[in-house]
Amino acid sequence: MRNFLIGVFIFWLIIVGLIIDHEKKTTGPAVIQGKNNTNKTEIVFWHAMGGPLGIVMNRMIDRYNAGQENYHVKSVNMGGYDTLAKKVLASLVANEAPDISQNYETLTKKFIRHNKIVCLDDLIEADIKNGGEDIKKDIIPVLLENNTFAGKLYSFPFNKSVPVLYYNKDMFKEVGLEPNTPPKTLDELAEFSRIIRNYYLKLSENAKTEAEKLRYKENYGYGCSKANVWGFLNRIMQFGGYIVKRNEEDILVSGFNEQPAINALSHLQEMVKEGTAREGQAFDHQNDFIAGKVGIIESSIISKVFMEEDIIFNYGVASLPGVIINNEINNGVILSGSNINIFNNEDPKKIAGAWDFVKWFTSTENGAEWSIGTTYLPVRKSSVDSKTIKDARKADPNLNAGYEQLGHCNFEPRLTAWFEIRDMLADYIEESSLKMGNPKTYCDRMKNDVDSKLRYVTDKDE
Amino acid sequence: MPNKTKVDWGAYLYLMPVVAILVAFHVLPIFYSLAVSFYEWDLIGSPEFVGANNYKQLFHDPMFFKSIWNTIKYAVISVPLSILLSMGIAILLNNPIKGIGVYRTIYFIPVITSINAVAIVWNFIYHPDFGLLNKILSWFGTDPVAWLQDPDWALPAIIFMSVWKGLGHNIIIFLAGLQNIPKHLYEAARIDGASRWQQFRHITWPLLSPTTFFIFTMSTIGSFQVFSQVYMMTPRGGPLKSTMVVVYYLYRKAFEQFEFGYALAMAFVLFMVIFACTLFNKLYLEKKVHYS
């Protein structure tokens, strides 16, 4: 027995050793990219870009480093956004902050309050004085507004995305829908999902074998993730509502008890109740789409780069459907993704290097390259109008939906209590689809709970 | 004249490194945490003294009470279940059967496996569509169950996995306890015509009680501190917060919402709860333990 266990252990060691050796030879170091063997000023960049996104980013960083005489960017992948946020906070406590990192707006507000980051307006003003460009004029307005706090730009938009619809063109054709006509309104989305579901239910009834019966029965019209706050907030925008605003008495109030929010919640609830929609955990809906079990899914535009290699059917990417208000389709989406902060490490050389890298990365052509490679939105208006993006859109029309929605983008409230409120919303959305109660009741409770949190919010710039 | 005892200061010198480590990494952080529980602190800025506000707020927080209730449910089910199963298996493994070492190893493997790796595997086992458990149940005509997505099943699913994971540890301790029971007592009982149940009831159970008491106490403390499996298997505290346990809630407050003072107040309330339970075990249950 002992010899057997020792044998197993040695075998395991050899296998692990061989795998590590192979990984080293093929990919190089997994986490930290870009070794600085020169006298250049090192700029440490903490981010959460993994997988295909990280590959595009590291390729661009390598190019920046190769063309640089003064600075060297060290790219450090911290895993997910949550881990990154925790590590950034810990590093600030230990006075070991990186030079730049990706962060959400709520954290940026914390950093501003404690004077931990550099105000980018100061750097832009210095650029203008030295004959450089006023970069703010070229930033897409909603992204500029999203990163402006008390009238000043404190973070730089970096990897911003929008939600889109993915639809299976082959399945559309099979069930009798026009393969190049995705749903334009939420009513159409519900109708198309019903057609798909009913088609497969009929096939299931007439199936000859039990396996076939089960296979057809598992096909749904629409799929999304459970407790999907992003989806709910998008719907509120589409129904013409608002999330949080200041009332006449300058008090923050939420709009969750109003009709657009009730409609937003009941739309998905109805589809789940009817059996045409299916909610999955985390990325289950994407897997179902790839497996051809769901005809339409709602997901981030960046899901495209994660899914496209595995999709073996014709698929399309479309803007989120809207709602007809006053005879016009009202579209509305909420931005997702993070921004860049430059930390105030009191080393002018490092701050200058960090700013140089941010400007280079988001410049017209590099921004266009980043956008095409990852599907993230470009930061500059000139990138959107660039030949690079226009050619790419012509070559792959599935890229269009992201750019098309730029005109009706909104962003989530940037309150420091927003993460907690978001979690509350997720609970109510989950409860509404699990218990199928009256949407108005959930929305009233949502409003009540959120407003009681908002009463204690003292920060501005929501 | 009384004899003067000479103090050997060298002994204290030898103790110094361990004492220094204990003070630096155990004692001071505890007192520091206790102090911070009276402050509001988001980690970056300076802590702001708020007195007992964090504690007051805690007792008006419905999620805190929900997390306490879930933790109690977890402890009340998992501890006795784990003890009964591990004691039963230990008694079976205490027999001189062929390949006993292999069985003992198999039961101990989950204990030495990382909880994170185990949780990922169990996520697949519990998957509603392609999970092993639903596949097995389907052979008996049972409809698929969304184990980790159904508010009624999520906590039992976590408990079952945790019991499985910790079984080997308890089995080894029970085995040690069983091997300490003198064989002649069983021989005498058999000569007197005692059945297997009578032998268990009157010999094994009372003489194993110090081991059972030890496992009960340690498992209770451990079950109040359950975290990793909840974090890994049911993000956000499970469907309708059905698996939101105290330590996970504390973690979310501290490391996701950056309310460190509040989280530490919660940690000290949890400490008091565990302390009270352990004290109850010591004062009440220990009286029923046969140490010889």
Side-chain angles (χ1 to χ4, degrees):
Chain A
M1 182 66 197
R2 197 179 58 187
N3 289 344
F4 171 74
L5 286 176
I6 291 170
V8 168
F9 180 66
I10 291 170
F11 179 71
W12 175 80
L13 272 183
I14 292 169
I15 294 291
V16 170
L18 286 174
I19 291 171
I20 291 171
D21 188 50
H22 176 73
E23 291 268 312
K24 267 188 190 167
K25 279 177 188 159
T26 52
T27 59
V31 180
I32 300 173
Q33 185 90 4
K35 208 174 173 189
N36 185 12
N37 292 323
T38 63
N39 292 326
K40 297 175 190 174
T41 303
E42 187 166 81
I43 311 298
V44 179
F45 176 25
W46 286 7
H47 60 84
M49 297 282 97
L53 311 173
I55 292 170
V56 177
M57 198 176 76
N58 286 330
R59 188 183 68 213
M60 291 177 67
I61 289 175
D62 285 345
R63 206 170 69 226
Y64 174 81
N65 287 337
Q68 259 299 318
E69 285 176 3
N70 303 320
Y71 310 114
H72 180 94
V73 172
K74 188 165 97 174
S75 153
V76 187
N77 183 0
M78 287 294 175
Y81 287 115
D82 283 351
T83 316
L84 174 65
K86 281 165 205 149
K87 288 187 178 175
V88 167
L89 279 177
S91 73
L92 285 168
V93 175
N95 282 327
E96 291 286 339
D99 301 304
I100 36 180
S101 89
Q102 283 177 297
N103 283 308
Y104 288 125
E105 297 85 18
T106 46
L107 268 187
T108 298
K109 285 179 91 169
K110 265 188 203 294
F111 298 155
I112 296 170
R113 200 186 311 148
H114 299 298
N115 196 27
K116 298 290 181 188
I117 51 173
V118 174
C119 174
L120 302 182
D121 270 359
D122 298 343
L123 301 173
I124 293 170
E125 274 168 32
D127 278 351
I128 297 168
K129 269 186 197 159
N130 294 328
E133 71 163 321
D134 182 358
I135 203 169
K136 279 168 87 171
K137 283 187 180 159
D138 197 24
I139 299 177
I140 291 165
V142 68
L143 302 182
L144 185 66
E145 194 190 340
N146 184 223
N147 287 276
T148 303
F149 302 85
K152 289 193 166 187
L153 190 71
Y154 272 96
S155 53
F156 208 84
F158 185 74
N159 59 311
K160 306 302 271 191
S161 60
V162 283
V164 290
L165 281 190
Y166 294 87
Y167 63 103
N168 183 331
K169 289 186 176 184
D170 291 352
M171 192 186 274
F172 267 44
K173 204 171 174 182
E174 190 188 345
V175 305
L177 288 167
E178 174 53 51
N180 290 315
T181 312
K184 293 264 185 309
T185 63
L186 287 178
D187 286 343
E188 277 184 9
L189 176 70
E191 180 57 24
F192 287 16
S193 304
R194 192 177 299 122
I195 290 169
I196 296 171
R197 179 67 174 155
N198 289 343
Y199 175 85
Y200 286 109
L201 282 180
K202 207 168 181 185
L203 282 186
S204 174
E205 278 169 24
N206 300 328
K208 285 176 187 141
T209 63
E210 272 306 309
E212 261 192 347
K213 244 184 225 286
L214 198 70
R215 185 161 62 84
Y216 290 130
K217 215 175 155 183
E218 281 180 349
N219 281 14
Y220 286 80
Y222 174 77
C224 64
S225 54
K226 208 182 258 289
N228 182 0
V229 178
W230 196 19
F232 173 62
L233 299 178
N234 287 322
R235 291 278 185 285
I236 295 178
M237 293 294 132
Q238 288 147 15
F239 278 104
Y242 67 94
I243 302 169
V244 167
K245 70 172 185 187
R246 285 192 183 272
N247 65 11
E248 303 80 38
E249 292 150 23
D250 201 31
I251 295 168
L252 280 173
V253 288
S254 69
F256 297 123
N257 63 333
E258 295 188 18
Q259 203 54 46
I262 298 169
N263 291 344
L265 195 65
S266 64
H267 185 267
L268 178 65
Q269 205 192 36
E270 284 301 319
M271 286 177 73
V272 175
K273 207 189 281 180
E274 199 186 334
T276 56
R278 186 180 186 201
E279 294 178 301
Q281 288 299 310
F283 299 108
D284 280 355
H285 62 301
Q286 287 184 18
N287 295 329
D288 286 345
F289 182 73
I290 293 167
K293 286 162 75 175
V294 174
I296 310 166
I297 60 162
E298 187 171 326
S299 208
S300 166
I301 181 73
I302 63 150
S303 303
K304 182 177 179 290
V305 293
F306 287 94
M307 293 196 298
E308 62 192 352
E309 266 189 28
D310 299 317
I311 297 178
I312 53 164
F313 46 81
N314 289 307
Y315 77 101
V317 182
S319 300
L320 283 197
V323 172
I324 297 175
I325 301 175
N326 299 329
N327 297 323
E328 271 186 27
I329 297 179
N330 181 57
N331 292 104
V333 288
I334 302 271
L335 283 169
S336 183
S338 70
N339 315 297
I340 288 277
N341 289 136
I342 298 180
F343 288 94
N344 191 5
N345 288 342
E346 290 174 3
D347 182 345
K349 259 189 180 176
K350 281 185 171 263
I351 292 171
W355 181 229
D356 185 72
F357 171 70
V358 171
K359 282 189 294 184
W360 180 89
F361 199 93
T362 53
S363 64
T364 304
E365 274 311 308
N366 292 328
E369 180 188 341
W370 170 243
S371 177
I372 293 162
T374 58
T375 70
Y376 279 122
L377 299 174
V379 171
R380 287 170 173 252
K381 291 184 261 186
S382 56
S383 295
V384 182
D385 297 331
S386 70
K387 189 174 175 304
T388 314
I389 284 191
K390 281 181 179 164
D391 288 348
R393 289 176 69 172
K394 223 177 264 172
D396 181 6
N398 280 343
L399 283 172
N400 285 334
Y403 305 112
E404 280 166 5
Q405 296 188 101
L406 265 173
H408 36 255
C409 280
N410 303 275
F411 48 87
E412 292 184 24
R414 302 173 300 175
L415 304 163
T416 41
W418 184 244
F419 280 148
E420 200 181 343
I421 293 173
R422 228 177 176 276
D423 196 42
M424 257 179 205
L425 299 181
D427 288 345
Y428 281 119
I429 298 165
E430 186 176 46
E431 194 180 340
S432 84
S433 66
L434 278 172
K435 295 187 175 170
M436 288 293 163
N438 183 356
K440 189 178 179 317
T441 314
Y442 296 121
C443 285
D444 284 343
R445 282 166 57 200
M446 221 185 263
K447 158 87 177 167
N448 193 36
D449 282 1
V450 172
D451 281 10
S452 62
K453 277 276 164 214
L454 291 175
R455 269 197 286 278
Y456 298 100
V457 170
T458 50
D459 52 331
K460 300 278 178 188
D461 291 319
E462 58 278 5
Chain B
M1 285 282 286
N3 282 338
K4 267 192 180 177
T5 314
K6 201 181 168 191
V7 176
D8 186 356
W9 292 103
Y12 290 99
L13 201 66
Y14 296 135
L15 281 174
M16 274 300 285
V18 174
V19 171
I21 289 170
L22 271 176
V23 169
F25 296 106
H26 288 255
V27 181
L28 284 181
I30 290 171
F31 284 102
Y32 184 69
S33 306
L34 180 63
V36 174
S37 73
F38 295 99
Y39 285 80
E40 198 177 292
W41 192 31
D42 66 358
L43 206 63
I44 321 176
S46 315
E48 187 189 327
F49 185 72
V50 289
N53 264 7
N54 287 330
Y55 290 91
K56 277 187 213 160
Q57 204 185 328
L58 206 56
F59 290 101
H60 291 97
D61 181 353
M63 191 51 70
F64 174 66
F65 284 102
K66 183 160 187 142
S67 68
I68 287 272
W69 177 233
N70 285 340
T71 311
I72 289 171
K73 279 199 278 188
Y74 177 89
V76 166
I77 301 170
S78 70
V79 174
L81 190 65
S82 174
I83 287 176
L84 286 176
L85 280 173
S86 51
M87 189 190 281
I89 294 168
I91 289 169
L92 291 177
L93 291 180
N94 201 31
N95 291 315
I97 50 172
K98 207 179 165 189
I100 192 78
V102 177
Y103 294 120
R104 286 176 186 173
T105 309
I106 288 170
Y107 279 108
F108 203 69
I109 283 173
V111 180
I112 55 165
T113 311
S114 150
I115 182 75
N116 297 340
V118 164
I120 289 168
V121 172
W122 277 84
N123 262 336
F124 284 115
I125 292 174
Y126 282 142
H127 196 280
D129 294 334
F130 48 80
L132 181 68
L133 189 56
N134 276 347
K135 184 77 192 162
I136 293 169
L137 290 174
S138 73
W139 298 338
F140 305 99
T142 310
D143 283 335
V145 178
W147 298 103
L148 297 172
Q149 291 83 44
D150 185 327
D152 296 331
W153 281 111
L155 190 63
I158 296 268
I159 290 173
F160 185 76
M161 188 280 260
S162 308
V163 168
W164 170 85
K165 169 91 173 78
L167 217 50
H169 174 260
N170 292 352
I171 288 171
I172 293 293
I173 297 172
F174 270 128
L175 269 172
L178 284 167
Q179 281 164 12
N180 272 341
I181 300 174
K183 299 278 178 288
H184 64 83
L185 294 177
Y186 291 105
E187 279 172 28
R190 274 198 297 275
I191 291 164
D192 288 345
S195 66
R196 275 187 173 263
W197 168 249
Q198 283 170 324
Q199 286 177 41
F200 172 78
R201 172 73 187 81
H202 298 290
I203 301 171
T204 313
W205 178 256
L207 292 186
L208 205 55
S209 59
T211 313
T212 313
F213 176 72
F214 169 76
I215 290 177
F216 181 79
T217 308
M218 296 312 287
S219 303
T220 307
I221 294 171
S223 63
F224 273 99
Q225 293 170 339
V226 59
F227 170 75
S228 305
Q229 47 270 63
V230 172
Y231 174 74
M232 292 293 293
M233 295 171 74
T234 51
R236 294 187 51 255
L240 304 185
K241 297 283 185 280
S242 53
T243 60
M244 179 64 92
V245 288
V246 182
V247 180
Y248 184 56
Y249 187 44
L250 183 161
Y251 166 83
R252 295 200 78 182
K253 279 284 170 198
F255 297 103
E256 287 180 10
Q257 294 163 12
F258 308 115
E259 294 177 30
F260 283 88
Y262 190 69
L264 285 168
M266 212 184 298
F268 276 92
V269 172
L270 177 66
F271 166 74
M272 291 314 293
V273 171
I274 295 175
F275 185 69
C277 283
T278 312
L279 207 63
F280 172 81
N281 287 349
K282 176 89 185 141
L283 297 178
Y284 181 72
L285 293 182
E286 203 179 19
K287 284 180 190 163
K288 298 180 186 301
V289 172
H290 297 261
Y291 279 110
S292 58

